[in-house]
């Protein structure tokens, strides 16, 4: 779609506003709107100004002027505005140099796609994330100098099986038993279907929806795979739709990896493959029908997994999910069908076009543009250096003895540890100027100062249980 097509679309839909969306550094959409009369073809070339110093992780106040540059191929009619509004996803441009902004996550992803083509290995990277989330009925939290707490609730929560609800109709999924009973135990099917319908209207191809394993409204809606940047765009739209449809029904959604103690967290298993000239490159005659190139790609992911975690699992809460016993794959191994491995090779279809790998450790708190790009760069490094992943692990990892388990590397146990690994292992990310030293250093400093240190300074409610009587 070209700028003139966007303007025509706005006219046909009787749009009265144009809305511009872009991503901050951690990974949350920001936006502003203009009257439709301001949406001219020149906007797509010259951009519109905003204050970059007010965006997390971006410009200092003395260099705050930035431009958004709308991407016409991303246009859609926003389903949540009362007045007809056309929305566009934007890139960020420096107003002086007219160069794309290196800390714009979308630009990082665009550079990753461009770098892939320069390698000659492939021309397209496909990503297919399975972003899990929770739908809650009530969420409260606070932290100040003398108190701190959180409280979440769901009519589906098994903890409410004895609550007076006038009447309590039971049928609440037990812990780890939400995958996937029919209604009335699954009480959110109609809400998820509404989410799917809105996604389809916005151009997202949905393959399935279902309740997930945990109690209290855990859900999953799966999109058809797409190329790296387009898939990251769609994941942002996916999150936007899920949250706003839930709000229509006086409910709320979180993509926080581990909001509930004692039950499964939300992951984002990410299917991926690379293609060249319309042909898949991961199908072959090796283990699980993989090609040499696919095995080397796996080798690169496993080699760099600990530094990848800084982008694929970028919150302190991420590591409350990455613990043994809750389906989170902390052990760095690969296998066909074995869901306890960090990388699984799905075996649903024998078609070469369906041959892919599923990286299972990412979670949906990630900035998809950065996470997808980092995984691609790790896989390409594996191909370049022919890093073989070793033998597959087809046993249940949780049943391995201590001696055998000790030979299997594991994911970092904290965000701090992941950032330490990123400091030591990031050369593979710098190829093609995809990630820059500035982006990596800014990411590390932001995470340490705004999240790790902020959490470290505050007492935790459970510490009172452990230590108050000391």
């Amino acid at each position: 779609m070209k700028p003139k097509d966007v303007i025509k679309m706005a006219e046909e839909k009787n749009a009265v506003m144009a809305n511009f969306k872009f991503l901050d550094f951690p990974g949350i959409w920001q936006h502003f709107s203009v009257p439709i009369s301001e949406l001219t073809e020149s906007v797509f070339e010259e951009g519109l100004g905003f204050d970059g110093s007010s965006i997390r992780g971006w410009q200092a106040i003395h260099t705050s002027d930035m431009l958004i540059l709308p991407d016409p191929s991303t246009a859609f009619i926003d389903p949540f505005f009362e007045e007809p509004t056309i929305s566009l996803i934007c890139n960020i441009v420096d107003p002086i140099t007219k160069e794309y902004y290196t800390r714009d996550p979308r630009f990082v992803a665009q550079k990753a796609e461009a770098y892939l083509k320069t390698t000659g290995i492939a021309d397209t990277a496909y990503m297919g994330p399975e972003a899990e989330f929770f739908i809650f009925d009530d969420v409260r939290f606070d932290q100040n100098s003398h108190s701190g707490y959180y409280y979440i609730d769901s009519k589906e929560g098994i903890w409410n099986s004895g609550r007076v609800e006038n009447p309590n109709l039971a049928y609440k999924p037990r812990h780890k038993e939400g995958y996937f009973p029919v209604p009335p135990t699954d009480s959110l099917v109609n809400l998820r279907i509404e989410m799917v319908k809105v996604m389809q209207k916005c151009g997202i191809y949905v393959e399935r929806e279902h309740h997930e394993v945990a109690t209290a409204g855990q859900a999953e809606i799966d999109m058809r795979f797409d190329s790296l940047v387009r898939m990251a765009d769609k994941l942002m739209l996916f999150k936007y739709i899920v949250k706003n449809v839930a709000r229509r029904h006086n409910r709320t959604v979180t993509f926080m990896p581990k909001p509930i103690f004692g039950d499964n967290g939300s992951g984002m298993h990410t299917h991926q493959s690379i293609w060249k000239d319309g042909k898949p490159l991961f199908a072959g005659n090796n283990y699980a029908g993989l090609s040499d190139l696919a095995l080397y790609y796996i080798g690169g992911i496993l080699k760099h997994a600990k530094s990848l975690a800084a982008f694929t699992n970028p919150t302190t809460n991420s590591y409350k999910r990455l613990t043994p016993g809750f389906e989170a794959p902390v052990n760095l191994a690969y296998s066909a069908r074995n869901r306890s491995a960090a990388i699984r090779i799905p075996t649903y279809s024998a078609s070469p076009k369906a041959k892919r790998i599923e990286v299972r450790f990412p979670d949906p708190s990630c900035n998809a543009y950065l996470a997808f790009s980092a995984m691609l760069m790790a896989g390409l490094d594996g191909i370049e250096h022919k890093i073989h992943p070793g033998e597959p692990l087809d046993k249940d990892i949780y049943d391995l003895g201590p001696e055998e388990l000790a030979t299997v590397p594991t994911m970092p146990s904290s965000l701090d540890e992941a950032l330490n690994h990123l400091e030591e292992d990031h050369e593979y990310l710098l190829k093609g100027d995809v990630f820059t030293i500035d982006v990596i250093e800014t990411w590390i400093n932001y995470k340490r100062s705004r999240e790790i240190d902020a959490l470290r300074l505050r007492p935790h409610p459970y510490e009172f249980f452990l230590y108050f009587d000391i």
Side-chain angles (χ1 to χ4, degrees):
M1 188 178 291
K2 297 180 180 179
K4 64 180 180 180
D5 300 317
V6 176
I7 294 171
K8 182 180 178 181
M9 177 183 177
E11 292 173 350
E12 291 175 347
K13 298 296 183 179
N14 297 314
V16 299
M17 301 293 288
N19 183 255
F20 304 107
K21 295 178 170 68
F22 62 94
L23 202 68
D24 70 5
F25 202 45
I28 294 179
W29 256 355
Q30 313 295 308
H31 81 124
F32 65 88
S33 300
V34 301
I36 202 65
S37 59
E38 296 294 308
L39 184 65
T40 62
E41 290 192 42
S42 64
V43 168
F44 293 89
E45 298 176 2
E46 300 171 8
L48 293 170
F50 72 99
D51 176 9
S53 68
S54 296
I55 305 301
R56 297 183 299 172
W58 279 11
Q59 294 292 87
I61 195 166
H62 65 284
T63 56
S64 60
D65 288 352
M66 304 293 287
L67 295 173
I68 59 102
L69 205 62
D71 182 342
S73 70
T74 66
F76 65 96
I77 299 300
D78 198 296
F80 303 108
F81 286 38
E82 290 184 5
E83 297 292 341
T85 300
I86 191 163
S87 279
L88 297 119
I89 301 173
C90 305
N91 282 91
I92 309 302
V93 176
D94 185 288
I96 306 300
T97 66
K98 303 301 182 182
E99 294 180 348
Y100 280 69
Y101 185 43
T102 55
R103 292 188 195 174
D104 175 11
R106 195 167 190 262
F107 183 44
V108 173
Q110 289 167 331
K111 288 190 291 181
E113 286 191 323
Y115 173 72
L116 173 64
K117 293 177 181 178
T118 66
T119 66
I121 296 169
D123 52 40
T124 307
Y126 285 116
M127 298 285 166
E130 299 175 356
E132 299 168 346
F133 55 94
F134 279 90
I135 304 168
F136 292 136
D137 295 305
D138 188 33
V139 178
R140 290 179 281 125
F141 50 87
D142 196 11
Q143 181 86 45
N144 52 50
S145 62
H146 67 284
S147 67
Y149 75 97
Y150 70 91
Y151 179 85
I152 58 177
D153 203 8
S154 164
K155 292 179 181 178
E156 275 198 358
I158 188 61
W159 57 82
N160 284 323
S161 60
R163 184 171 68 176
V164 177
E165 294 181 346
N166 298 314
N168 187 326
L169 300 178
Y171 293 108
K172 303 177 191 300
R174 290 175 286 271
H175 289 297
K176 296 191 177 187
E177 293 188 22
Y179 188 89
F180 25 58
V182 298
T185 303
D186 178 2
S187 67
L188 297 168
V189 61
N190 291 322
L191 182 60
R192 295 195 306 272
I193 289 173
E194 183 177 337
M195 293 170 178
V196 169
K197 289 171 66 177
V198 176
M199 289 179 193
Q200 291 171 327
K201 287 181 180 178
C202 291
I204 294 176
Y205 190 114
V206 177
E207 293 186 327
R208 69 176 63 187
E209 62 79 20
H210 58 84
H211 204 290
E212 255 300 338
V213 173
T215 187
Q218 192 180 34
E220 181 177 315
I221 299 174
D222 295 336
M223 299 177 282
R224 174 70 60 89
F225 66 89
D226 208 336
S227 56
L228 191 152
V229 173
R230 288 176 57 84
M231 192 71 250
D233 287 344
K234 287 181 180 179
L235 184 58
M236 294 309 302
L237 180 55
F238 173 99
K239 289 185 174 184
Y240 180 68
I241 290 170
V242 164
K243 291 176 181 179
N244 280 284
V245 170
R247 191 170 181 95
R248 279 179 181 173
H249 295 270
N250 205 31
R251 288 187 165 98
T252 189
V253 159
T254 182
F255 288 89
M256 187 175 173
K258 189 75 170 181
I260 295 178
F261 169 67
D263 209 339
N264 281 33
S266 293
M268 193 181 78
H269 309 148
T270 304
H271 298 253
Q272 45 201 283
S273 62
I274 57 176
W275 293 47
K276 186 174 184 180
D277 298 327
K279 296 181 180 179
L281 301 181
F282 275 8
N285 299 315
N286 294 310
Y287 174 81
L290 295 175
S291 63
D292 288 339
L293 185 142
L295 287 173
Y296 297 147
Y297 190 100
I298 290 172
I301 295 283
L302 293 177
K303 176 183 177 181
H304 298 296
K306 294 185 179 185
S307 60
L308 282 175
F311 293 111
T312 60
N313 306 84
T315 68
T316 58
N317 185 256
S318 297
Y319 299 87
K320 292 176 171 60
R321 167 184 170 260
L322 286 179
T323 56
F326 292 94
E327 289 193 3
V330 298
N331 296 288
L332 295 173
Y334 76 104
S335 175
R337 304 180 70 180
N338 187 348
R339 294 173 186 266
S340 62
I343 297 178
R344 185 176 74 96
I345 299 91
T347 56
Y348 299 126
S349 172
S351 169
K353 292 184 177 181
K355 187 57 63 180
R356 62 196 186 276
I357 69 167
E358 178 191 22
V359 183
R360 294 178 60 81
F361 52 78
D363 69 57
S365 70
C366 72
N367 181 326
Y369 298 92
L370 301 181
F372 292 168
S373 299
M375 286 188 283
L376 174 63
M377 297 301 289
L380 292 176
D381 187 65
I383 293 171
E384 178 185 346
H385 294 99
K386 296 185 177 181
I387 302 171
H388 196 280
E391 293 301 313
L393 190 58
D394 289 328
K395 303 176 183 178
D396 186 341
I397 292 175
Y398 299 126
D399 287 340
L400 296 180
E403 292 184 2
E404 194 171 5
L405 190 60
T407 65
V408 182
T410 60
M411 289 291 288
S413 60
S414 69
L415 179 58
D416 206 8
E417 184 183 342
L419 295 173
N420 289 340
H421 283 290
L422 181 60
E423 280 185 320
E424 298 297 323
D425 177 29
H426 58 254
E427 291 297 322
Y428 68 99
L429 298 171
L430 302 178
K431 295 174 184 175
D433 200 38
V434 174
F435 288 77
T436 64
I437 289 294
D438 172 68
V439 165
I440 291 171
E441 289 180 347
T442 302
W443 185 261
I444 291 171
N445 293 335
Y446 182 92
K447 288 290 174 178
R448 283 182 174 155
S449 63
R450 299 288 190 92
E451 299 177 26
I452 293 172
D453 289 346
L455 192 66
R456 190 174 5 235
L457 288 168
R458 288 163 170 80
H460 188 285
Y462 198 67
E463 290 178 315
F464 285 82
F465 176 81
L466 292 173
Y467 308 128
F468 189 78
D469 60 347
I470 288 177

